[in-house]
Structures are given as structure tokens and as C-alpha cells.
Amino acid sequence: MSKGPGLFSDFGKKAKDLLNKDYSPDQKITIYSSSFSGVALTSNVANKGGLSSGDVGARYKYENAEFDVKLETESNIVTTLSVTDFLPSTKAIASITLPDYNSGKFEVQYLHQHASFTGALGLNKSPAVDFSAAIGTPSIAFGAEATYRTASGEFAKYNTGVSLTKPESNASVILADKGDSIRFSYLRNLNQLNGGAVVGEMSRRFSTNENTLTVGCSYVVDPQTLLKAKLNNHGNLGALVQHELMPESFLTISGAFDTKALQNTPKFGLALSLKP
């Protein structure tokens, strides 16, 4: 795939990942394995709010095609077929969740040196149409996305934004929720954090005059251990430690509590990811 401005969905992704990725109040175990035929297998068991769930998935790659199938405990079968570069710089993705035959979706992604485009269509009688576009370079890009519901003839959402990327920093401004909210984010990598980073995100919802400021950071203790923490102006504090037990196998322990309601019980999560 060509290098360029990237997809609109990637605007602000690094900052969002630092503030949200791997934070979870649930308990989860994931085991990866592979067969001699080249099929990658994944098994998940999770406890979410006292309810247990699980799934078993398989992924097979052949040349530029990739097929995924996942069987969930709710008796759903999620299948995805993706083909890369069937046309230059183009990727096609088809997916469906059985037994819901109306969940089918077909998506096309096009990434060029100075532009990107995605279009997705629901495979049902009254489909929703998703599309996004971005123009620019890997350093600066402008983009927009929208969802149009054919059943009502209305736009369910439309967002626009700009992304600025440098080797040591990343910034983005997103106008979302049909213009009702705006989000600024800034991430900077710091050598003082051994390869970690600091991030700040400010969002405002105009209809309610609600402002949220969140700051966070990551610190690399050693090549196997990562610390992360975040705090917002509403008093919500989160922290996690992630340790690599063996190559590509991780133990993550996270916690969260409300500093303005210390009488409430903190929430703790644990995730174990094993790849023998």
C-alpha cells in the first residue's frame, strides 16, 4: 500500500491509543497459536461485569488475501474476507455476522500518495453508506467522513478534521457529531520517558457546554515493562502496567477510580495474552 495521508479514521489515533488502549475493568485471557497449514488460531475467554463470554477464531492468509472466521459463545459466526492490492493501492473487505444476514458489509479502501478514500455499503434492503476521504501528505492531512442512511434519507453523522504528524509528535483537531463537538489532541514522544510519551486531549460539546480535559503519559521502565496513567478534569484516574512475560506474550493489570468519590470501589482489570 502507498504511503500518504492515511485514512481519516487514523487522525488522532496515536493519542487515542495512549489514553484508551489496554485500559479495561474486565478479566481476559487470549491464547494465540498456529497450525502447520499456516492457519493462525485465537482463543479468548473474558469476564465482563460478572458475565462470561468467549470466542475462537481462525485466520488464513494466501498471497494478498486474508480470511477470518470467529465463533462466539452467543452463537454468532463472524466472517471477514479482505483482499489487498487487487487493484493498485486498493483493499477490499467483505464481512458478515451470521445468523444475521442483514449484517453484511462491503468496504473498499484506496490509499494514494496524496489522498485516501474509503467507502462501505451495508448489504441489506435499506443500507447505510459510509464514506471518508483525506488529502495531504504524511506530515499534514485534511479529511472528512459521513454516514448516510438510505432508509431515512438523512446523514447519521458527518465529521471533519486535520492531522499534523512529525517524527516526535502528533496533533489533530476533529469537528464531530454533526458539528456539535470538537476535540483537540496532542502527543509528544519524550526521550526522558525512555521512549514513552505524553498526551493531552481537550473536547467540548457545544449543546451542553461540557468540557473534558484528559492528560496521560506512558513510561518504558525496561524493554519488557510499560507503565501508563491518565487523569481527566472530572477526577477519573486510570493506570496500568504491562509486562512482556516472553516474546509476544503480555500480562496487563489496569485500575481506575474516581478521585472525587473515594468511597466507591476502584475497578481493576487483568489481561493475559499468550503466544507460545
Side-chain angles (χ1 to χ4, degrees), residues 122-144:
L123 304 179
N124 51 62
K125 294 181 179 179
S126 301
V129 182
D130 303 313
F131 50 91
S132 71
I135 59 172
T137 68
S139 299
I140 180 171
F142 302 86

Side-chain angles (χ1 to χ4, degrees), residues 46-64:
N47 185 310
K48 300 181 180 180
L51 299 176
S52 298
S53 63
D55 61 70
V56 178
R59 172 178 296 177
Y60 180 72
K61 293 183 178 180
Y62 178 75
E63 295 183 351
N64 62 335

Side-chain angles (χ1 to χ4, degrees), residues 231-237 257-264:
L231 175 68
N232 67 19
N233 62 311
H234 302 300
N236 298 315
L237 174 66
F257 68 95
D258 189 347
T259 60
K260 296 183 178 180
L262 297 179
Q263 70 276 12
N264 294 341

Side-chain angles (χ1 to χ4, degrees), residues 12 14-16 18-19 164 166 168-173 183-190 197-202 214-216:
K14 290 183 178 180
K16 186 184 301 182
L18 197 155
L19 291 174
L164 302 172
K166 293 183 178 180
E168 73 284 353
S169 64
N170 179 273
S172 67
V173 181
R183 183 175 72 249
F184 306 86
S185 65
Y186 178 77
L187 177 144
R188 185 172 183 86
N189 299 311
L190 294 177
V198 294
V199 62
E201 180 183 87
M202 184 177 67
T214 306
V215 294

Side-chain angles (χ1 to χ4, degrees), residues 191-217:
N191 293 329
Q192 295 91 327
L193 298 178
N194 296 334
V198 294
V199 62
E201 180 183 87
M202 184 177 67
S203 63
R204 176 176 175 82
R205 185 170 291 276
F206 299 110
S207 59
T208 60
N209 291 322
E210 180 183 2
N211 298 311
T212 300
L213 173 64
T214 306
V215 294
C217 69

Side-chain angles (χ1 to χ4, degrees), residues 6 13 23 27 63-64 78-79 88 91 111 158 179 203 206 210 238 255 265 269 272:
K13 184 178 184 299
Y23 285 99
Q27 295 75 47
E63 295 183 351
N64 62 335
V78 183
T79 59
K91 181 178 182 179
L111 284 84
Y158 42 84
S203 63
F206 299 110
E210 180 183 2
T265 303
L272 181 62

Side-chain angles (χ1 to χ4, degrees), residues 7-9 11 116-118 131-135 142-146 158-162 175:
L7 301 176
F8 179 79
S9 57
F11 284 19
S116 70
F117 171 82
T118 68
F131 50 91
S132 71
I135 59 172
F142 302 86
E145 66 176 357
Y158 42 84
N159 308 323
T160 186
V162 58
L175 183 65

Side-chain angles (χ1 to χ4, degrees), residues 27 41 45 97 113 127 157 181 183 195 202 241 243-244 273:
Q27 295 75 47
L41 304 174
V45 178
T97 300
Q113 186 175 358
K157 75 171 183 181
S181 67
R183 183 175 72 249
M202 184 177 67
V241 56
H243 183 70
E244 188 175 20
S273 174

